[in-house]
Amino acid sequence: MDSTISSRTFIEALPFSKALGMKLEAIGEGHAIISMPYDERLIGDPRTGVIHGGAVSALMDTTSGASVMSAKGGSGVTATLDLRIDYMRPARPGQRITCEAFCYHTTRTVAFVRATAMDEEDGSQVASSVGAFTFQRKEARS
């Protein structure tokens, strides 16, 4: 990814991520960290105050895609092909959720990513994911 692109620009370019309040914490060389604040508009269960799993999945998808965008030799363009998420437990109400993703392998056209979403306070795992994303090498870009 072009190092001149700021974290604000990255999220501003993704309206859904911006609406969820996501913040790019770190990105580079196939690694990305993005966080999302607790927001009452995203509550999935009013009785418990737990954030909806769809918001967590959006965070994981965005972070995974960002890791692919920053992968060495890539064009910086990607799309999700497949994303499997295992929810370990509900995120704790009131806490920011942080996701960390690693693009661990690329082929000519596909990138493979692992990600983990964690609660802010104690870093305990909320969900993990594995995914496949489109990958285009810089030299193949037209």
Side-chain angles (χ1 to χ4, degrees), residues 20-102:
L20 293 179
M22 291 183 196
K23 179 183 176 192
L24 181 65
E25 305 287 349
I27 189 167
E29 297 188 20
H31 174 246
I33 300 173
I34 298 178
S35 65
M36 181 177 67
Y38 182 81
D39 186 331
E40 290 183 357
R41 297 174 304 151
L42 305 178
I43 292 174
D45 184 347
R47 293 176 297 117
T48 63
V50 170
I51 294 295
H52 191 281
V56 176
S57 68
L59 174 63
M60 297 190 85
D61 185 40
T62 301
T63 309
S64 295
S67 75
V68 173
M69 291 173 69
S70 72
K72 186 176 179 180
S75 66
V77 177
T78 192
T80 308
L81 295 171
D82 181 59
L83 186 64
R84 176 201 156 90
I85 300 174
D86 292 317
Y87 294 93
M88 308 304 174
R89 63 168 182 73
R92 289 194 175 88
Q95 290 193 28
R96 173 176 289 279
I97 302 168
T98 300
C99 183
E100 183 170 21
F102 296 92

Side-chain angles (χ1 to χ4, degrees), residues 1-7 10 27 69-70 74-76 138:
M1 182 169 211
D2 184 348
S3 60
T4 62
I5 296 175
S6 71
S7 59
F10 178 81
I27 189 167
M69 291 173 69
S70 72
S75 66
K138 281 182 185 174

